[in-house]
C-alpha cells in the first residue's frame, strides 16, 4: 500500500524543483541573450528585471485563451498537457543527492528515455489540430525532428549504461564517485557531445528550431496558441531544457559529486553542485542559441541519421571493448 | 595588421564574440550604447528637424509657404489693418495681420520647403520631438503653440571651415 | 478523438465491400490494388503579413510538402503612384518625394533625379557640394547594407547580428542627421547644390550653412568603427558553418539570367559581372578616389551576402579619402528662385545600394516634369523570383528572397 | 553624362540608325513600330546590349487634366520606350516608337528579353497598351476590380479635387516673384 503522504511529499519536491528550474533557465536565457546583444534586457519589472518570469506568468494568465474556429478543439486543448506531462515525468528520476530523489528506480535511464518521447505526441497533435497550414508544417517538422534525434539520445546513453553497469541514476553517480573521474573524462566524451546535440534538438532550440522557425513558419505549431496554453508550452520548453541539462550533468558530469570534496558531506553540497553544473550547461546552450543560425530541414535529418547515429554506435563499440579489456 | 589569432572553427569564434559582448555590456567601463528613454533623454543634433516654430510678428501672411507645401498642411488666414503713418502727415500704411496659422503635423512630412521658402525668416526648425498626441486632431498646432516652440530653437553652432 | 476514428473505419469498410462484391470485378487481393495516391499541391500564401517578406509582398506558392513547385508574387500593396504624383508637383517638391522610394537608403535616391534635372538645366553643382553628396551617398550605402546584414542573418535564423548591426547603423544615421537634419529622409539636395536645414537665428538663413563643427573627426571615428563592425560581422555570421551550409550553393543566379532580367547592383556583381555604375557617374567625383569593386564567383546567396559586406568596407575607405581631400568653396550655384526646366529629356542612373536607380525626366518647360519614369532596382531584382524559386525548399525560398535585399517601396513605387 | 559617349560606340550606332539623337548625354533612337522586336534583338546581338534596364510609355496629350500641358501642341499618341545597356562599359541606349491611342497594341519583347515581362504588364495596366503574344498579361499593382488606367493624362487625381487647396486663400497681392506653386 503506497502511503499517500510519501507520494505527496515527493510530488511537492519534484514540483518545486521543476518550476524553479524553469524560472532560473528563463532568466538565464532572456537576460543572457540581452547582455550578449549589448542591451540591458527587461529592466522595469522589478529587481532590475530579474523577476520577469513572474511577470510573464501573470501576463499570460490575464491573456485571453483563443481557440480558433475550425480547430479540432478536443486535441487542440489537450496538446500542451501531453508535453508538460512528459517533462514532469522526467524529474522523478534525477537524484539531487543520494537520498533526495523522487524514487530511485533501478530502470531509471530506461524510464527517462521512454517518458521523454511522449512530448513528440503533444507537439505533433498541437501542430495538426491548429487547422493552420503553417502550424501543420511546424507540427510535421517537429515530429520528424524529435523522432530522428531520439535515436542518438538513446545510443549515447547506452554507452554510459555499459560503463556504469547499472541503469539506476543514483548507481551511475555512485559509479562515477567510486571511479574518481566523471564519465565525460573517462571514456564518454564523444557520447556527451552527441547527447548535448541531440538534447538541443529535443528542446527545439536554435540551431534546431525548425518547428518554431519564426522567419518561415511564423511560429510553427505554437501559432494558434495564446493565453494559458501558450504559457504551458513556454514553461514546458524551459523545464525540458532544465531537466535535460540536469540529466546530462548526472550521466556525464558526475551528478551531485565533485571529485575533490569529501564523500561524507555529499548530502549537504550535493544539490548545490548539481544546480551549478546544470546552470553551466544551460549557459552553454544559451550561448549556442544566440550565435547560430537555423539548419534547413534536410540538413537536420542528415546530421541525425548519417552523423550522430553512426558516431553513437561507434562509441558503444569502443566502450564495450574497453569494458571487456579492463 | 590583422593580429595573428588561432583560427578557431567558425562557430567558436561566434561564441567568443558573444562572450566578449556579454563582458563588455556588463562591465561599467565600456560606453552603454542604449539610451534609457523615459529617464535619460537622447541629445539630438541641433539641426534635427523636430518641429517648426513660427515667429508671429515676422510673418506677413504672404502665403508662400502654404502654396509651396507638397502635403497642403499649412492653413493661413489674415486680414489687413491700417498702421499709423511712419512720418506725421504721411499716408496710412496697411499691414497684413495673421489671424490663423495652423500646421497639421499629422500630414506634414518634415521636408522643410516652407522654412526654406519663407522670405521673412518667420519659420525655424527646432529639434524638439516630444509632442505626440493621443488623437490626431490635436496634431494641428495653432499659431500660439508654434510660437511657444520658438524658445527651443537652438543657437547657431560652429561650422567646419 | 477515438469515436471519430471508429466512424472513419466503418465508412472505409463499407467502401471496400461494395468494390469487392460489385459483381463484375473478380476478387482482387488487397496487396495488388495499387491505388496511386493522388496528391495535389497545397497553395501556401506567404502573405502580405509575413515576418520575412521585407514589407508587404505576397507570394502565392504551390507547395508539395516542403518543396515549392511554383511561386507567383503579388505586388501592389505598397503602390503609392509616385510617377503620377510627380506630374502634379514642381521640381523642388519632387526632391522631397523622391527619397521616400527606397526608405532604407534615403539619400542615395535623390542623386539621380537631381543629376538629371541639373543636366537639363545645364548647371553644375560646385566641387564642395559634389564631395558632400558623395560622402552622404556612401553613408546611405553603409546604412542600407547594415540593415541587410542584420535582417538577412535574422531570416536564416541567427538572432544576434540584427542588434549589433542596428547599433552600428545608429552611429551612421546620427552623422547624417547632424549634417542634413533628417535621419531617413534627409531631403538635402537642391537643384544646383545642397542646402542644409535652415537653422536657427534670423540672419543664418541667408548664408547657406556648411557641415557642422567636428564633423570630420566624428566621421573618421565612425568609419574606423564600421571597419571593425565589418570584420566582426564576417566572423560572427560568415564564419559560422551553419550559415555557410544554409547559403552556399543556394539560389544560384547565372550571368545571363541576371542580365536578361535587368538585375543590377550587388546581385549582378555576385554573379561574376564586374560592373559598378560608380565608375560611370561623372556628377559625383568617384574617379578621384581609388576603391576596388568586390565581385563574387558563383552568384549564390553566400556571395551576395559577402559582396555587400565588402562593399561596406570599400565605402568606408572612400569616405575616409573624401574627408581628407574635401575642397572648400560655395555649396550652391546661382539658381532662379522659381525653377523652370527647359524642354528636353534626360536619363541618368546611379549606383543605389540596391542596384541601378535611374530617372528619365521628360520636361516640357513647365514648373513640373511632363512625365517622370522612375527605374528602381528592386522591381527588376525580384522579377527573377518565379524563375529562381522553381522547386526549391521553403527555407531556401526565405534565404534566397532575403539575399535579394529588396524593399517594397522600391518594388511598388 | 553617363560616359556613354565613347566615340566608336556612337559611330557604330549612328551608322546603323541615322536618326540617333544624343542630347543631354542620352542616346535615343526613334524606330518604326513594325521593326520593334527586330531592333531589340539586333541591338542585343550586334552591340551586345544584353542588359534589359526598363520599358515604359509616355502619354502625349494636348489638353491635360493633371500638371502642365506640353509647350507646343503635340499629336496625341503613346510613345513606348525601352532602355538597354551593356555591363562592360555601361553604354545606355533608349529605343522609342510611337503608336496611336485607340486600341494601342505593340508586339511584346518577352522572347528577346524575358525581363520585359513585368515591365510590359505594368505599362498595360497603367496605360492600357496591349502587348501581343505576352505570356500572362494581367494587372500587376492595381486590384483586379480597378477600372481605368491611372497614368493616362486624362485620369484626374481625385484626392486633389476633394480637398480645397490651402493656397487658395488670398490676403494680399503676392510679391511679384512669388509663383503659383503646386497647382
Amino acid at each position: 500500500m503506497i502511503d499517500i503522504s510519501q507520494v505527496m511529499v515527493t510530488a511537492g519536491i519534484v514540483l518545486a524543483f521543476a518550476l524553479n528550474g524553469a524560472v532560473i533557465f528563463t532568466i538565464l536565457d532572456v537576460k543572457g541573450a540581452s547582455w550578449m546583444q549589448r542591451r540591458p534586457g527587461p529592466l522595469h519589472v522589478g529587481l532590475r528585471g530579474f523577476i520577469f518570469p513572474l511577470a510573464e506568468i501573470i501576463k499570460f494568465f490575464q491573456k485571453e485563451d483563443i481557440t480558433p474556429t475550425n480547430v479540432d478543439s478536443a486535441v487542440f486543448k489537450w496538446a500542451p498537457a501531453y508535453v508538460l506531462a512528459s517533462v514532469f515525468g522526467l524529474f522523478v528520476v534525477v537524484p539531487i543527492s543520494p537520498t533526495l530523489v523522487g524514487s530511485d528506480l533501478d530502470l531509471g535511464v530506461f524510464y527517462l528515455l521512454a517518458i521523454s518521447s511522449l512530448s513528440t505526441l503533444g507537439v505533433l497533435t498541437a501542430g495538426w489540430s491548429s487547422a493552420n497550414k503553417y502550424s501543420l508544417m511546424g507540427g510535421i517538422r517537429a515530429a520528424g525532428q524529435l523522432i530522428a534525434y531520439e535515436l542518438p539520445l538513446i545510443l549515447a546513453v547506452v554507452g554510459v549504461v555499459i560503463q556504469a553497469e547499472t541503469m539506476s541514476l543514483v548507481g551511475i553517480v555512485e559509479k562515477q564517485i567510486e571511479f574518481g573521474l566523471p564519465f565525460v573524462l573517462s571514456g564518454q566524451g564523444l557520447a556527451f557531445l552527441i547527447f548535448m546535440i541531440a538534447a538541443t534538438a529535443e528542446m527545439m532550440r536554435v540551431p534546431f528550431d525548425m518547428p518554431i522557425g519564426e522567419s518561415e513558419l511564423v511560429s510553427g505549431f505554437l501559432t494558434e496558441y495564446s493565453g494559458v496554453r501558450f504559457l504551458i508550452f513556454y514553461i514546458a520548453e524551459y523545464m525540458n531544457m532544465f531537466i535535460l541539462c540536469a540529466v546530462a550533468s548526472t550521466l556525464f558530469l558526475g551528478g551531485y559529486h565533485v571529485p575533490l570534496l569529501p564523500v561524507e558531506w555529499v548530502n549537504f553540497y550535493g544539490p548545490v553542485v548539481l544546480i551549478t553544473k546544470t546552470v553551466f550547461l544551460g549557459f552553454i546552450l544559451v550561448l549556442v542559441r544566440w550565435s547560430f543560425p537555423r539548419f534547413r530541414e534536410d540538413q537536420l535529418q542528415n546530421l541525425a541519421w548519417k552523423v550522430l547515429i553512426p558516431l553513437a554506435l561507434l562509441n558503444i563499440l569502443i566502450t564495450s571493448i574497453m569494458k571487456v579489456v579492463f | 595588421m590583422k593580429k595573428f589569432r588561432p583560427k578557431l572553427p567558425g562557430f567558436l569564434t561566434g561564441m567568443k564574440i558573444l562572450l566578449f559582448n556579454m563582458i563588455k555590456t556588463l562591465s561599467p567601463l565600456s560606453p552603454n550604447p542604449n539610451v534609457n528613454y523615459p529617464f535619460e533623454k537622447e541629445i539630438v543634433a541641433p539641426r534635427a528637424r523636430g518641429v517648426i516654430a513660427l515667429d508671429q510678428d515676422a510673418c506677413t501672411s504672404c502665403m508662400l509657404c502654404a502654396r509651396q507645401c507638397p502635403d497642403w498642411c499649412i492653413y493661413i488666414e489674415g486680414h489687413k489693418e491700417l498702421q499709423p503713418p511712419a512720418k506725421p502727415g504721411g499716408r496710412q500704411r496697411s499691414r497684413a495681420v495673421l489671424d490663423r496659422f495652423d500646421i497639421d503635423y499629422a500630414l506634414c512630412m518634415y521636408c522643410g520647403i516652407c522654412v526654406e521658402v519663407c522670405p521673412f525668416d518667420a519659420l525655424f526648425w527646432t529639434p524638439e520631438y516630444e509632442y505626440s498626441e493621443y488623437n490626431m486632431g490635436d496634431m494641428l498646432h495653432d499659431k500660439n503653440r508654434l510660437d511657444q516652440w520658438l524658445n527651443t530653437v537652438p543657437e547657431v553652432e560652429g561650422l567646419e571651415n | 478523438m477515438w469515436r471519430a476514428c471508429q466512424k472513419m473505419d466503418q465508412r472505409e469498410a463499407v467502401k471496400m465491400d461494395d468494390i469487392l462484391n460489385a459483381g463484375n470485378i473478380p476478387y482482387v487481393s488487397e496487396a495488388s490494388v495499387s491505388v496511386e495516391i493522388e496528391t495535389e499541391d497545397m497553395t501556401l500564401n506567404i502573405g502580405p503579413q509575413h515576418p520575412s517578406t521585407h514589407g508587404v509582398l505576397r507570394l502565392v506558392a504551390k507547395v508539395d510538402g516542403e518543396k515549392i513547385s511554383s511561386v507567383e508574387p503579388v505586388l501592389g500593396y505598397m503602390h503609392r503612384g509616385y510617377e503620377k504624383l510627380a506630374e502634379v508637383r514642381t521640381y523642388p517638391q519632387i526632391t522631397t518625394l523622391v527619397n521616400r522610394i527606397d526608405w532604407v537608403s534615403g539619400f542615395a535616391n535623390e542623386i539621380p533625379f537631381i543629376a538629371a534635372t541639373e543636366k537639363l538645366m545645364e548647371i553644375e553643382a560646385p566641387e564642395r557640394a559634389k564631395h558632400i553628396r558623395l560622402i552622404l551617398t556612401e553613408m546611405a550605402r553603409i546604412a542600407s547594407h547594415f540593415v541587410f546584414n542584420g535582417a538577412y542573418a535574422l531570416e536564416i535564423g541567427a538572432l544576434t547580428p540584427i542588434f549589433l548591426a542596428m547599433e552600428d547603423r545608429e552611429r551612421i544615421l546620427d552623422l547624417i542627421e547632424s549634417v542634413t537634419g533628417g535621419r531617413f529622409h534627409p531631403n538635402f539636395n537642391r537643384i544646383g547644390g545642397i542646402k542644409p536645414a535652415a537653422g536657427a537665428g534670423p540672419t543664418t538663413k541667408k548664408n547657406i550653412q556648411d557641415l557642422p563643427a567636428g564633423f570630420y573627426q566624428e566621421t573618421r571615428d565612425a568609419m574606423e568603427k564600421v571597419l571593425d563592425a565589418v570584420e566582426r560581422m564576417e566572423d560572427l555570421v560568415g564564419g559560422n558553418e551553419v550559415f555557410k551550409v544554409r547559403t552556399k550553393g543556394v539560389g544560384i543566379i547565372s550571368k545571363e539570367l541576371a542580365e536578361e532580367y535587368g538585375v543590377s547592383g550587388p546581385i549582378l556583381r555576385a554573379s561574376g559581372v564586374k560592373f559598378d555604375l560608380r565608375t560611370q557617374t561623372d556628377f559625383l567625383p568617384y574617379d578621384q578616389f581609388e576603391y576596388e569593386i568586390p565581385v563574387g564567383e558563383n552568384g549564390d546567396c553566400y556571395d551576395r551576402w559577402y559582396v555587400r559586406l565588402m562593399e561596406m568596407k570599400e565605402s568606408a575607405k572612400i569616405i575616409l579619402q573624401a574627408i581628407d581631400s574635401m575642397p572648400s568653396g560655395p555649396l550652391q550655384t546661382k539658381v532662379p528662385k522659381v525653377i523652370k526646366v527647359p524642354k528636353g529629356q534626360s536619363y541618368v542612373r546611379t549606383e543605389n545600394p540596391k542596384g541601378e536607380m535611374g530617372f528619365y525626366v521628360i520636361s516640357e518647360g513647365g514648373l513640373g516634369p511632363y512625365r517622370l519614369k522612375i527605374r528602381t532596382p528592386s522591381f527588376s531584382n525580384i522579377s527573377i523570383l518565379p524563375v529562381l524559386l522553381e522547386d526549391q525548399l521553403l527555407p531556401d525560398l526565405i534565404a534566397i528572397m532575403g539575399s535579394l535585399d529588396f524593399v517594397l517601396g522600391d518594388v511598388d513605387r | 553624362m553617363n560616359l556613354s559617349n565613347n566615340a566608336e560606340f556612337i559611330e557604330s550606332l549612328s551608322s546603323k540608325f541615322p536618326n540617333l539623337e544624343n542630347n543631354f548625354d542620352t542616346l535615343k533612337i526613334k524606330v518604326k513600330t513594325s521593326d520593334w522586336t527586330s531592333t531589340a534583338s539586333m541591338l542585343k546581338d550586334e552591340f551586345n546590349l544584353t542588359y534589359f534596364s526598363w520599358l515604359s510609355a509616355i502619354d502625349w496629350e494636348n489638353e491635360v487634366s493633371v500638371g502642365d500641358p506640353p509647350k507646343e501642341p503635340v499629336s496625341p499618341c503613346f510613345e513606348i520606350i525601352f532602355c538597354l545597356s551593356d555591363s562592360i562599359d555601361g553604354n545606355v541606349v533608349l529605343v522609342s516608337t510611337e503608336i496611336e491611342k485607340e486600341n494601342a497594341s505593340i508586339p511584346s519583347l518577352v522572347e528577346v528579353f524575358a525581363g520585359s515581362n513585368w515591365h510590359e504588364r505594368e505599362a498595360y495596366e497603367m496605360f492600357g497598351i496591349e502587348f501581343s503574344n505576352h505570356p500572362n498579361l494581367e494587372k500587376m499593382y492595381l486590384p483586379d476590380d480597378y477600372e481605368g488606367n491611372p497614368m493616362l493624362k486624362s485620369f484626374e487625381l481625385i484626392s486633389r479635387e476633394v480637398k480645397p487647396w490651402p493656397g487658395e486663400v488670398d490676403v494680399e497681392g503676392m510679391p511679384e516673384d512669388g509663383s503659383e506653386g503646386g497647382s
Side-chain angles (χ1 to χ4, degrees):
Chain A
M1 226 307 270
I2 35 161
D3 55 0
I4 298 302
S5 63
Q6 173 63 14
V7 167
M8 296 310 284
V9 164
T10 339
I13 296 171
V14 163
L15 192 63
F17 190 48
L19 281 181
N20 289 341
V23 164
I24 296 169
F25 268 55
T26 315
I27 294 175
L28 191 72
D29 200 11
V30 168
K31 271 300 207 182
S34 49
W35 288 333
M36 286 177 203
Q37 293 164 352
R38 307 278 296 132
R39 54 187 173 83
L43 262 184
H44 311 305
V45 175
L47 284 176
R48 286 193 63 74
F50 277 91
I51 55 165
F52 107 96
L54 190 65
E56 194 103 336
I57 289 167
I58 295 167
K59 174 187 89 172
F60 276 117
F61 270 116
Q62 51 96 11
K63 278 231 165 97
E64 188 208 351
D65 200 342
I66 306 163
T67 316
T69 45
N70 47 20
V71 115
D72 186 344
S73 60
V75 175
F76 183 81
K77 289 197 170 67
W78 281 99
Y82 298 137
V83 177
L84 199 63
S86 93
V87 172
F88 261 127
L90 299 177
F91 279 89
V92 167
V93 173
V94 174
I96 305 164
S97 77
T99 53
L100 193 59
V101 72
S103 75
D104 176 16
L105 312 165
D106 48 13
L107 273 182
V109 169
F110 186 79
Y111 163 83
L112 202 72
L113 297 170
I115 292 285
S116 79
S117 66
L118 181 62
S119 65
T120 323
L121 179 71
V123 165
L124 181 61
T125 45
W128 184 273
S129 68
S130 309
N132 161 351
K133 285 178 184 155
Y134 286 111
S135 44
L136 170 68
M137 293 183 77
I140 305 289
R141 280 186 181 179
Q145 171 179 327
L146 294 179
I147 292 163
Y149 280 88
E150 205 79 19
L151 227 54
L153 202 73
I154 294 165
L155 295 175
V157 170
V158 163
V160 169
V161 165
I162 295 172
Q163 182 146 356
E165 293 133 8
T166 154
M167 283 249 216
S168 121
L169 280 153
V170 177
I172 289 175
V173 177
E174 292 310 327
K175 186 75 170 125
Q176 287 174 22
I177 297 173
E178 169 227 312
F179 192 76
L181 276 176
F183 274 145
V184 97
L185 304 178
S186 63
Q188 294 303 331
L190 181 62
F192 174 65
L193 268 184
I194 298 169
F195 186 88
M196 281 320 286
I197 294 173
T200 333
E202 286 296 317
M203 303 172 217
M204 287 178 271
R205 282 180 71 87
V206 175
F208 299 99
D209 77 338
M210 292 307 288
I212 320 168
E214 295 83 23
S215 63
E216 288 122 23
L217 303 178
V218 184
S219 70
F221 59 90
L222 292 175
T223 325
E224 299 301 337
Y225 281 91
S226 62
V228 179
R229 285 198 186 82
F230 184 81
L231 177 66
I232 293 174
F233 267 120
Y234 185 78
I235 294 181
E237 183 202 340
Y238 279 109
M239 240 191 265
N240 197 4
M241 177 180 172
F242 179 74
I243 193 59
L244 280 174
C245 287
V247 162
S249 44
T250 14
L251 293 182
F252 293 95
L253 302 180
Y256 47 80
H257 168 67
V258 174
L260 306 165
L261 296 182
V263 180
E264 301 73 28
W265 301 89
V266 86
N267 274 342
F268 296 104
Y269 63 77
V272 171
V273 163
L274 184 72
I275 297 287
T276 41
K277 284 181 187 167
T278 317
V279 167
F280 171 68
L281 277 184
F283 180 70
I284 301 287
L285 287 181
V286 164
L287 201 57
V288 160
R289 171 174 186 167
W290 298 106
S291 69
F292 269 75
R294 188 183 295 127
F295 269 115
R296 205 179 46 200
E297 195 53 33
D298 50 341
Q299 292 157 353
L300 193 105
Q301 302 290 348
N302 288 347
L303 183 70
W305 297 103
K306 293 194 180 115
V307 173
L308 289 185
I309 291 175
L311 275 179
L313 292 175
L314 180 76
N315 171 40
I316 294 169
L317 188 67
I318 296 167
T319 335
S320 39
I321 294 170
M322 301 287 284
K323 197 73 207 153
V324 164
V325 163
F326 292 116
Chain B
M1 210 285 292
K2 202 162 185 244
K3 55 188 180 329
F4 171 74
R5 47 184 167 79
K7 208 58 203 91
L8 290 164
F11 61 90
L12 285 186
T13 28
M15 288 160 130
K16 181 174 70 80
I17 290 171
L18 283 189
L19 260 184
F20 282 178
N21 269 349
M22 184 164 172
I23 295 158
K24 225 163 54 166
T25 325
L26 289 180
S27 82
L29 312 169
S30 73
N32 177 0
N34 310 310
V35 170
N36 196 349
Y37 173 64
F39 309 109
E40 309 149 8
K41 289 283 189 296
E42 195 203 359
I43 329 123
V44 188
R47 281 190 193 172
R49 301 199 289 261
V51 79
I52 299 170
L54 166 73
D55 177 358
Q56 281 196 21
D57 30 36
C59 173
T60 63
S61 69
C62 69
M63 300 295 295
L64 253 181
C65 54
R67 292 200 170 109
Q68 288 293 335
C69 171
D71 291 354
W72 293 10
C73 67
I74 301 178
Y75 310 104
I76 300 175
E77 270 142 30
H79 64 278
K80 286 199 197 120
E81 266 174 18
L82 291 175
Q83 299 299 121
K87 305 191 290 305
R91 190 173 51 75
Q92 269 192 327
R93 284 180 299 104
S94 76
R95 184 183 187 295
V97 174
L98 207 57
D99 290 349
R100 168 186 184 231
F101 190 106
D102 302 350
I103 296 183
D104 183 352
Y105 281 112
L107 291 176
C108 172
M109 65 173 176
Y110 299 95
C111 61
I113 283 188
C114 53
V115 173
E116 192 198 333
V117 133
C118 173
F120 303 103
D121 292 350
L123 292 170
F124 300 101
W125 278 113
T126 45
E128 204 52 42
Y129 55 87
E130 281 155 336
Y131 54 94
S132 50
E133 306 286 342
Y134 280 107
N135 58 46
M136 249 188 19
D138 308 345
M139 289 298 278
L140 191 78
H141 289 195
D142 62 5
K143 64 179 167 159
N144 324 342
R145 179 107 188 258
L146 294 174
D147 226 13
Q148 286 152 17
W149 293 125
L150 206 53
N151 42 41
T152 62
V153 173
E155 272 325 305
V156 175
E157 91 279 52
L159 301 176
E160 282 298 348
N161 39 32
Chain C
M1 171 66 178
W2 178 239
R3 271 193 314 288
C5 306
Q6 271 170 342
K7 260 211 281 8
M8 256 194 302
D9 294 349
Q10 273 126 25
R11 257 188 280 111
E12 284 305 328
V14 164
K15 209 151 62 161
M16 282 312 286
D17 290 351
D18 52 43
I19 289 174
L20 286 181
N21 45 37
N24 45 28
I25 301 172
Y27 176 71
V28 170
S29 73
E30 205 69 52
S32 72
V33 171
S34 70
V35 175
E36 173 50 51
I37 303 135
E38 171 257 326
T39 60
E40 28 100 4
D41 292 348
M42 171 174 90
T43 52
L44 184 68
N45 244 322
I46 301 174
Q49 251 66 37
H50 188 273
S52 61
T53 51
H54 293 239
V56 272
L57 165 77
R58 177 169 157 229
L59 294 173
V60 178
K62 289 261 178 304
V63 172
D64 166 16
E66 288 274 335
K67 198 166 270 300
I68 297 162
S69 34
S70 86
V71 163
E72 208 266 325
V74 175
L75 307 176
Y77 291 91
M78 181 59 97
H79 181 58
R80 296 160 290 187
Y82 265 79
E83 291 173 359
K84 186 76 179 177
L85 279 182
E87 287 162 11
V88 177
R89 300 217 171 170
T90 67
Y91 280 95
Q93 285 172 346
I94 293 181
T95 51
T96 65
L97 193 71
V98 141
N99 53 40
R100 280 160 168 73
I101 292 176
D102 170 6
W103 55 76
V104 172
S105 54
F107 188 83
N109 306 333
E110 295 171 6
I111 302 289
F113 176 72
I114 295 291
T117 330
E118 278 169 2
K119 262 203 192 92
L120 281 177
M121 291 172 74
E122 271 114 15
I123 51 173
E124 185 91 9
E127 261 316 296
R128 188 176 174 83
K130 281 190 189 166
H131 271 261
I132 294 176
R133 276 185 188 162
L134 179 128
I135 289 174
L136 288 172
T137 315
E138 291 308 316
M139 276 189 193
R141 190 185 315 281
I142 293 176
S144 164
H145 286 333
F146 263 133
V147 169
F148 163 76
N149 265 318
Y152 190 53
L154 192 62
E155 266 139 35
I156 302 282
L159 302 162
T160 320
I162 185 84
F163 288 101
L164 307 182
M166 284 304 158
E167 183 198 336
D168 296 322
R169 180 165 173 266
E170 233 12 75
R171 241 176 260 114
I172 303 284
L173 289 186
D174 287 350
L175 272 178
I176 293 179
E177 185 181 33
S178 71
V179 173
T180 63
R183 287 157 51 91
F184 267 47
H185 305 305
N187 171 25
F188 186 55
N189 273 311
R190 301 293 181 273
I191 294 166
I194 53 168
K195 180 105 188 289
T203 55
T204 53
K205 230 145 66 65
K206 292 296 163 293
N207 50 48
I208 296 172
Q209 286 172 291
D210 206 321
L211 296 172
F215 175 77
Y216 294 153
Q217 193 42 41
E218 263 169 48
T219 320
R220 287 197 187 95
D221 309 342
M223 288 312 130
E224 296 312 324
K225 292 207 178 74
V226 164
L227 293 174
D228 304 342
V230 164
E231 205 179 291
R232 184 185 55 202
M233 196 66 86
E234 196 173 353
D235 292 346
L236 178 63
V237 177
N240 199 312
E241 280 75 16
V242 178
F243 182 83
K244 284 196 196 125
V245 156
R246 271 297 296 277
T247 50
K248 274 228 153 73
V250 169
I252 291 180
I253 300 180
S254 70
K255 203 166 93 60
E256 297 69 29
L257 179 75
E259 281 191 6
E260 194 170 350
Y261 275 85
V263 170
S264 54
I267 307 169
L268 191 63
R269 286 194 285 280
S271 307
V273 175
K274 188 171 174 62
F275 174 63
D276 188 331
L277 274 171
R278 284 184 286 190
T279 52
Q280 306 294 328
T281 49
D282 62 337
F283 41 85
L284 287 180
Y286 278 111
D287 36 29
Q288 295 171 13
F289 314 113
E290 77 280 344
Y291 56 94
E292 354 107 36
I293 302 165
V295 176
E297 294 87 25
N298 37 33
D300 54 8
C301 288
Y302 186 78
D303 278 355
R304 286 191 280 274
W305 172 82
Y306 190 70
V307 161
R308 289 197 182 93
L309 196 66
M310 286 309 119
E311 263 182 24
M312 277 161 73
K313 205 191 285 189
E314 295 313 316
S315 298
K317 273 198 275 179
I318 290 177
I319 291 181
L320 285 176
Q321 293 164 33
I323 289 279
D324 300 344
S325 69
M326 173 75 84
S328 63
L331 287 174
Q332 174 122 23
T333 52
K334 200 61 207 80
V335 163
K337 194 155 175 44
V338 174
I339 292 162
K340 280 194 165 45
V341 178
K343 179 173 166 50
Q345 305 178 2
S346 97
Y347 176 65
V348 166
R349 53 184 196 157
T350 59
E351 182 64 32
N352 189 305
K354 305 268 188 308
E356 169 210 333
M357 179 130 191
F359 277 80
Y360 185 44
V361 180
I362 295 120
S363 129
E364 287 293 311
L367 281 168
Y370 181 77
R371 164 90 162 96
L372 179 71
K373 163 64 187 168
I374 304 168
R375 195 270 182 197
T376 50
S378 302
F379 180 73
S380 313
N381 289 355
I382 69 166
S383 60
I384 48 170
L385 270 183
V387 169
L388 198 60
L389 295 178
E390 287 302 328
D391 53 49
Q392 299 274 1
L393 294 173
L394 184 62
D396 281 348
L397 171 130
I398 305 286
I400 295 165
M401 230 171 43
S403 74
L404 295 183
D405 184 20
F406 57 89
V407 166
L408 254 295
D410 237 10
V411 171
D412 289 352
R413 286 186 300 267
Chain D
M1 47 24 185
N2 271 35
L3 299 192
S4 64
N5 60 359
N6 41 27
E8 87 291 338
F9 176 76
I10 295 182
E11 266 88 39
S12 60
L13 212 57
S14 47
S15 66
K16 184 72 70 178
F17 299 97
N19 57 15
L20 172 77
E21 302 155 21
N22 180 8
N23 39 30
F24 304 115
D25 312 310
T26 325
L27 298 172
K28 189 167 181 185
I29 309 168
K30 284 224 179 332
V31 156
K32 289 195 297 309
T33 323
S34 49
D35 44 21
W36 179 248
T37 38
S38 63
T39 332
S41 47
M42 192 267 287
L43 281 176
K44 178 174 178 179
D45 309 338
E46 269 150 39
F47 294 87
N48 88 63
L49 295 166
T50 53
Y51 179 87
F52 178 81
S53 194
W54 51 271
L55 176 141
S56 186
I58 305 175
D59 169 17
W60 291 103
E61 234 349 295
N62 286 331
E63 70 290 340
V64 160
S65 72
V66 151
D68 315 330
K71 216 175 225 164
E72 322 79 30
V74 78
S75 66
C77 68
F78 279 140
E79 184 188 359
I80 300 177
I81 305 170
F82 72 87
C83 165
L84 297 182
S85 126
D86 68 359
S87 55
I88 298 121
D89 43 27
N91 307 319
V92 183
V93 172
L94 295 170
V95 178
S96 89
T97 176
E98 265 138 17
I99 53 173
E100 83 292 335
K101 295 186 76 150
E102 296 71 25
N103 52 54
S105 126
I106 190 163
S108 146
L109 294 176
V110 176
E111 298 81 24
V112 183
F113 290 102
S116 63
N117 185 329
W118 277 22
H119 295 262
E120 280 166 358
R121 272 174 67 185
E122 191 203 356
Y124 157 72
E125 174 189 46
M126 288 298 170
F127 292 91
I129 302 163
E130 286 294 326
F131 286 88
S132 47
N133 55 50
H134 185 283
N136 58 348
L137 196 63
E138 320 109 8
K139 285 197 183 330
M140 172 90 89
Y141 292 134
L142 301 168
D144 303 340
D145 51 10
Y146 188 96
E147 350 69 52
N149 307 92
M151 278 306 284
L152 289 181
K153 283 290 180 181
S154 51
F155 191 92
E156 317 100 30
L157 273 178
I158 312 131
S159 65
R160 291 265 156 153
E161 269 75 29
V162 161
K163 178 172 180 187
W165 183 45
E168 218 53 52
V169 172
D170 207 343
V171 169
E172 198 178 298
M174 288 261 296
E176 66 306 333
D177 69 341
S179 71
E180 248 323 315
S183 66

